[in-house]
Amino acid sequence: MDAMDTGPRYTPDHELEMAVQFLPASDSKKLEKRKGLGKLTIVLSAVAFAFILSLIIGLLLWHYHLRGEANIKKIYAGSMRLTNQAFVNGYENPNSTEFKDLASQVVSQLNEIYYKEPKLRKNYISSTVQAFSEGSVIAYYLSEFHVPEKDQVEVDRIISSIDKLQGRTGSSSRLLIDAINYSALDSRMVSSTKQSTRYAQHLQPNVASVIESPGFPNYPYPSNTMVQWELRADPGYIIKLEFESFSLEENCKNDFVKVYDSLVAIESRVLNEICGVFSDHLTFHSSGNVMLVTLVTNDVMNFPGFRARATQVPLSTTTCGGILTGNSGTFTSPKYPDFYPQLTQCEWTIRVPQGKFVKVVFDKFRMVEPGQSNSVCQKDYVEIGTRKMCGTSSNLMEASQSNEMTVKFISDSSYVDRGFSATYTAYEPSDPCPLMFLCANKRCIKPVQKCDGWNDCGDSSDEKNCQCGATQVSCKNGFCKPMFWKCDGINDCGDNTDEENCGVCKPDEFTCANDHCVSMKMRCDGQNDCDDGSDEATCGKEAIDVPCTDKTYKCKNNKCVNSLNPECDGVKDCSDGSDEQNCDCGKQYTKSAGRIVGGQDAVDGEWPWQVSLQVRGSHVCGASIISDSWIVTAAHCVQDDTKTRYSQPQTWEAYFGLHTQKDKSKAEKRNLKQVIAHPSYNTYTFDYDMALMELDRPLTFGNKIRPICLPSPSYSFPAGKSVWITGWGATKEGGFAATVLQKAEVRLINETVCNNLMNGLLTSRMMCAGVLTGGVDACQGDSGGPLNSLNAPGGHTFLAGVVSWGDGCARRNKPGIYTTVSKFRGWIKERTGV
Ligand code: ARG
């Protein structure tokens, strides 16, 4: 028996009313028939008996029900158009009589709809109208249900087809409704423990409204909070929301912002869910005159938050598509690089001169949407001929077999993204790539790019049928990959050939951090088989205490844990919690999604620990802040020469929070109290290339001046990991220094491989990072600056290395060499106390 069908349930308001009415009604007849004192006693006892009996039955059923299954609170967000209503100003104000009046009509209509369906009636609690907007009138509401687990799917299904139900409400209803939209509220928003705030704002013409997360920019946003901003524009306008600053936790499961094309959080109207850190274009447009912005946070880790500007802009139908002619040209998705609007359909016809064919290369391509399969592309996509493309890619290209090509772009009603930017060119069918290599997909690449181990064509056709050279690994699948990448922990071949026979352990064995070999089966089995716990270190389980080695992390209480890089990862691994202490470091409060040679301009404030060390007003070296009074640089920066006494503190000026060298007045300046070069620094080999500098006056930290985290001696930076280099050094070998701080992404390179490439000049205090094809590297003037390594779980940046030396700059197969900071952790502590 289904307990839900018979018994009174636990305290839903409307049911309580039904129960209260039911009992006296059945007894009242008897009451009226029986008169006199004796009768009254009988009647009273009967009533009491009936009351007690029903109480017992109720309690039993309630008990039975509770034992049977727990109800889950589900809230559905919905909107519907009231076609026979006209919008009046009072509908914007929930306290007005007009609002209350219409809201109660909507609620009773909803009640009517839900009561028609037994599965809904039984689980329905109540509905509240959240807002109205124009057109005729659109009502936005939340309906609460308490649904037993087993009925969830069914209730979801009924709710999603609710517009069929409403047809059954009959003519008695005064509101004529259509265009019903429904979805279960994002479960992260259904929490009674979250502090919830709602703001409503009607935007003014020509005035931008600023919306900010609570505390921004002075404090991180609060924990366990939900804030909603209901934004409206005048009819005939849409809302443009531009995020000027955005810094949330990296993991959307914890904290996120969701933007809706609605006034309630209907999932089919989400424009996007965002988290992490952005500083480049992050702009959304509504399709109508309303928008909802929500911020939801949980109890772990709070970030600075965001500031956004909302403006109302005239609704102009987005024009896109058209006829493109000539030999070449570019086109983009609507509003690129802003997010494209929802429900877009564009069609471009590209027509090149007779006799030539068309090819289209997508330089940027991003249409990512939850629930969309990149092979089917049923939501937002680009369509050329029969091929549909979606997701994200940096190498997309299509070619035609005639002088015409049609490109379509489609977006649906939810989740928008950046879209694409594309170039089309006409090509000669007989000679598609004059003097270049022709890929199977008709892309043209430089002849040297053929068989260099990189998929330059995008379809790998440049890497097929290659004769591998002496400096290449022959992959079993026929590819050749540069020797450079052998045993770097990354499967470059695709079939893992480049990662075979790398260690002492057999293929079915796990290589422990102490180089012991244990069977793969022993990984994550809860036993410390390696002796150093490394076989249990990355299993997502609790840390275990292990004997201390140079590969294990040592807690403050001198106990060692087996966790890999436990410091500041947001999880307490040491029993004394010391791995999560002193973690106010390495946080980037400004970052772009996205000279140093081959780099790009950093965003102002993106690398707040970066220091510019200057002599007589000119930049000489980089350095990194490690505390309010100490910075780390390279020892080779502080060696005297015939002209300058670089080893003396008074020679230097240090600039903090500097972005462009042209604007030093905006930066903080300090003189130095001491310069400590490592005593073992070797001018010939660059071994021990590290120096410490003490400032004459402590720094005050803010968003643009902050320390980087120092890695413990056991911190592991695996080969293949992507890291960032930053500095104002030369932007090409022998070139000039950069004005604006540059950043570039490089990968850590396996020690043995690197030592071979650098002719054996590496010592155990050096590490290598670079890009094997060349073109990206640190260069003169970057020395002393940071090699930045982000520890993803905690979102903290660690100082992996200090820019030290290289063979020229950015040459092919010549990585940059960095001083390994973890090797100097003890020395730094000893000399600075940090
Ligand atoms: N020694 C150089 C300096 O003083 C930095 C060289 C880094 N070179 C390189 N190719 N990564 O600025």
Side-chain angles (χ1 to χ4, degrees):
M1 184 185 68
D2 182 0
M4 300 304 297
D5 282 334
T6 46
R9 278 188 305 281
Y10 111 98
T11 67
D13 291 349
H14 58 283
E15 291 223 326
L16 209 62
E17 273 165 34
M18 282 159 60
V20 168
Q21 281 166 0
F22 173 75
L23 280 176
S26 56
D27 289 331
S28 61
K29 273 187 189 164
K30 293 179 202 158
L31 259 174
E32 276 163 26
K33 276 188 199 161
R34 301 172 188 191
K35 290 198 172 86
L37 199 67
K39 278 184 183 168
L40 187 67
T41 319
I42 298 167
V43 167
L44 279 179
S45 353
V47 170
F49 176 70
F51 180 75
I52 290 166
L53 188 70
S54 49
L55 199 70
I56 291 169
I57 293 173
L59 277 174
L60 274 175
L61 286 171
W62 176 65
H63 175 71
Y64 177 78
H65 159 66
L66 267 194
R67 278 197 337 179
E69 200 164 14
N71 280 346
I72 292 166
K73 176 168 157 185
K74 279 216 104 156
I75 296 181
Y76 291 89
S79 70
M80 56 167 71
R81 189 161 57 212
L82 314 174
T83 52
N84 60 346
Q85 301 292 310
F87 195 84
V88 296
N89 287 342
Y91 290 161
E92 275 197 30
N93 175 7
N95 297 322
S96 72
T97 26
E98 291 97 331
F99 184 104
K100 288 184 184 154
D101 204 39
L102 189 61
S104 79
Q105 287 184 55
V106 170
V107 170
S108 44
Q109 190 122 350
L110 285 169
N111 293 350
E112 214 177 294
I113 295 175
Y114 300 141
Y115 282 137
K116 285 210 165 2
E117 186 62 37
K119 271 264 152 66
L120 297 186
R121 179 172 63 227
K122 180 158 86 78
N123 302 310
Y124 178 49
I125 305 298
S126 62
S127 295
T128 49
V129 172
Q130 302 284 297
F132 294 110
S133 74
E134 291 92 343
S136 312
V137 173
I138 301 173
Y140 304 89
Y141 49 88
L142 299 175
S143 296
E144 183 176 341
F145 292 79
H146 288 184
V147 189
E149 180 112 47
K150 64 172 173 46
D151 289 346
Q152 294 233 21
V153 179
E154 177 70 356
V155 168
D156 273 350
R157 191 193 57 75
I158 299 173
I159 289 278
S160 67
S161 55
I162 207 107
D163 42 342
K164 289 180 209 108
L165 277 188
Q166 69 92 13
R168 293 195 245 150
T169 54
S171 52
S172 68
S173 39
R174 293 205 298 117
L175 299 174
L176 291 180
I177 57 185
D178 76 355
I180 303 192
N181 258 304
Y182 256 107
S183 75
L185 210 60
D186 186 319
S187 59
R188 295 166 296 179
M189 295 183 184
V190 192
S191 160
S192 46
T193 55
K194 288 203 198 305
Q195 180 81 29
S196 164
T197 321
R198 264 168 73 195
Y199 299 103
Q201 197 161 14
H202 193 127
L203 304 175
Q204 300 300 312
N206 306 319
V207 189
S209 285
V210 172
I211 60 173
E212 289 174 339
S213 54
F216 188 90
N218 303 320
Y219 308 98
Y221 47 75
S223 305
N224 284 327
T225 298
M226 168 147 126
V227 189
Q228 298 190 287
W229 291 266
E230 297 171 7
L231 305 176
R232 299 164 181 277
D234 296 338
Y237 286 80
I238 59 166
I239 297 169
K240 177 176 180 185
L241 181 74
E242 293 166 274
F243 286 92
E244 291 178 337
S245 179
F246 192 95
S247 173
L248 259 67
E249 198 176 331
E250 209 61 47
N251 185 348
C252 284
K253 284 205 184 104
N254 296 331
D255 304 336
F256 62 91
V257 164
K258 244 172 158 172
V259 183
Y260 294 88
D261 194 24
S262 162
L263 281 180
V264 276
I266 304 177
E267 288 310 300
S268 57
R269 308 309 300 265
V270 186
L271 291 180
N272 219 316
E273 174 179 308
I274 34 181
C275 56
V277 190
F278 290 84
S279 75
D280 52 351
H281 280 271
L282 194 58
T283 304
F284 298 95
H285 294 88
S286 63
S287 64
N289 67 333
V290 296
M291 185 184 263
L292 177 75
V293 182
T294 56
L295 166 73
V296 178
T297 71
N298 74 354
D299 52 356
V300 285
M301 291 200 284
N302 299 326
F303 278 61
F306 69 85
R307 171 188 284 138
R309 285 155 54 91
T311 37
Q312 60 171 20
V313 291
L315 169 68
S316 57
T317 36
T318 319
T319 46
C320 60
I323 298 182
L324 306 171
T325 53
N327 274 310
S328 66
T330 55
F331 61 107
T332 65
S333 51
K335 301 202 191 289
Y336 181 88
D338 289 354
F339 286 49
Y340 51 74
Q342 56 278 52
L343 295 172
T344 316
Q345 289 200 14
C346 314
E347 185 171 320
W348 292 268
T349 305
I350 304 167
R351 203 168 289 141
V352 297
Q354 274 295 341
K356 292 192 174 173
F357 289 179
V358 190
K359 69 178 154 190
V360 173
V361 174
F362 293 90
D363 315 308
K364 293 272 157 44
F365 189 95
R366 229 192 114 84
M367 276 145 241
V368 177
E369 180 161 352
Q372 161 144 281
S373 135
N374 289 354
S375 51
V376 183
C377 298
Q378 76 284 28
K379 290 172 176 272
D380 302 352
Y381 57 90
V382 163
E383 188 174 346
I384 300 180
T386 55
R387 181 170 176 208
K388 282 186 178 176
M389 297 172 271
C390 58
T392 178
S393 167
S394 53
N395 255 331
L396 266 186
M397 120 123 228
E398 274 292 308
S400 73
Q401 295 300 314
S402 75
N403 75 326
E404 205 172 287
M405 182 191 272
T406 305
V407 180
K408 288 184 193 157
F409 170 69
I410 313 286
S411 72
D412 69 355
S413 65
S414 65
Y415 281 96
V416 292
D417 207 332
R418 280 185 206 287
F420 69 85
S421 133
T423 314
Y424 68 90
T425 29
Y427 70 95
E428 208 62 63
S430 58
D431 184 15
C433 288
L435 299 177
M436 291 178 90
F437 173 76
L438 171 67
C439 306
N441 61 12
K442 300 288 184 295
R443 186 182 277 247
C444 306
I445 59 163
K446 294 192 197 120
V448 292
Q449 291 178 307
K450 179 156 171 48
C451 295
D452 68 349
W454 289 77
N455 174 9
D456 300 287
C457 285
D459 61 1
S460 291
S461 54
D462 54 325
E463 296 301 319
K464 288 188 180 136
N465 310 317
C466 297
Q467 271 291 48
C468 302
T471 57
Q472 292 179 316
V473 184
S474 310
C475 307
K476 280 197 196 118
N477 59 12
F479 286 134
C480 303
K481 295 287 170 186
M483 204 53 98
F484 209 59
W485 294 122
K486 189 164 165 51
C487 301
D488 66 352
I490 302 230
N491 175 4
D492 298 287
C493 283
D495 64 0
N496 214 37
T497 331
D498 56 318
E499 296 303 315
E500 279 170 10
N501 307 320
C502 295
V504 271
C505 302
K506 300 197 192 84
D508 59 344
E509 286 180 332
F510 174 78
T511 310
C512 308
N514 55 11
D515 283 338
H516 289 183
C517 302
V518 297
S519 157
M520 250 336 161
K521 293 195 194 101
M522 293 176 160
R523 265 211 76 207
C524 303
D525 66 351
Q527 308 277 329
N528 176 6
D529 304 289
C530 282
D531 287 342
D532 64 358
S534 55
D535 54 320
E536 301 299 317
T538 47
C539 306
K541 293 186 192 143
E542 250 177 49
I544 46 176
D545 285 350
V546 288
C548 299
T549 70
D550 57 347
K551 301 264 171 51
T552 55
Y553 180 79
K554 195 177 213 157
C555 307
K556 227 187 191 143
N557 57 11
N558 283 331
K559 286 195 176 152
C560 288
V561 285
N562 70 331
S563 321
L564 187 72
N565 301 342
E567 51 257 69
C568 308
D569 63 353
V571 178
K572 185 181 141 199
D573 298 85
C574 291
S575 51
D576 61 358
S578 52
D579 56 312
E580 295 302 314
Q581 284 164 4
N582 304 321
C583 289
D584 192 11
C585 57
K587 278 280 171 189
Q588 285 175 302
Y589 287 156
T590 317
K591 198 174 138 190
S592 83
R595 220 160 297 196
I596 292 213
V597 185
Q600 51 181 312
D601 286 0
V603 174
D604 191 3
E606 188 177 357
W607 309 97
W609 39 85
Q610 174 80 48
V611 184
S612 166
L613 289 176
Q614 312 219 337
V615 176
R616 294 182 286 272
S618 297
H619 171 89
V620 174
C621 270
S624 308
I625 305 176
I626 58 163
S627 79
D628 62 356
S629 302
W630 288 93
I631 59 178
V632 171
T633 186
H636 82 257
C637 290
V638 297
Q639 303 300 310
D640 292 343
D641 69 10
T642 46
K643 284 199 227 112
T644 311
R645 298 181 62 201
Y646 291 105
S647 63
Q648 299 308 305
Q650 60 276 13
T651 306
W652 296 94
E653 276 169 352
Y655 285 87
F656 303 88
L658 182 67
H659 181 55
T660 151
Q661 294 286 349
K662 286 217 177 87
D663 213 348
K664 282 197 266 188
S665 61
K666 275 212 230 142
E668 241 350 83
K669 191 173 98 177
R670 291 286 184 277
N671 294 317
L672 301 185
K673 202 191 263 180
Q674 320 185 43
V675 174
I676 312 173
H678 198 281
S680 310
Y681 171 66
N682 183 319
T683 25
Y684 300 103
T685 60
F686 277 59
D687 204 3
Y688 293 93
D689 193 6
M690 180 169 288
L692 297 163
M693 292 173 161
E694 188 179 9
L695 310 181
D696 65 339
R697 207 152 45 84
L699 296 164
T700 310
F701 293 151
N703 273 0
K704 290 187 182 177
I705 302 181
R706 308 192 68 78
I708 191 168
C709 303
L710 288 171
S712 67
S714 64
Y715 202 103
S716 144
F717 294 100
K721 185 176 191 320
S722 145
V723 287
W724 288 81
I725 45 177
T726 49
W728 287 274
T731 53
K732 65 176 189 207
E733 195 174 319
F736 292 108
T739 312
V740 171
L741 181 65
Q742 299 292 301
K743 62 172 178 184
E745 192 176 14
V746 289
R747 292 212 286 179
L748 297 180
I749 289 157
N750 170 290
E751 209 181 297
T752 327
V753 172
C754 184
N755 203 19
N756 288 338
L757 290 168
M758 302 312 277
N759 310 319
L761 295 177
L762 235 56
T763 70
S764 61
R765 285 150 298 274
M766 298 175 185
M767 64 200 285
C768 308
V771 169
L772 96 129
T773 39
V776 189
D777 195 7
C779 201
Q780 261 49 48
D782 291 322
S783 281
L787 178 68
N788 302 279
S789 172
L790 183 71
N791 181 11
H796 295 264
T797 302
F798 282 78
L799 185 64
V802 169
V803 179
S804 181
W805 60 280
D807 184 351
C809 301
R811 296 186 188 169
R812 223 173 155 90
N813 283 344
K814 293 290 171 194
I817 314 300
Y818 299 80
T819 315
T820 310
V821 175
S822 57
K823 293 269 160 84
F824 293 83
R825 189 66 192 89
W827 180 69
I828 295 174
K829 177 92 192 163
E830 180 196 315
R831 302 308 306 257
T832 67
V834 180

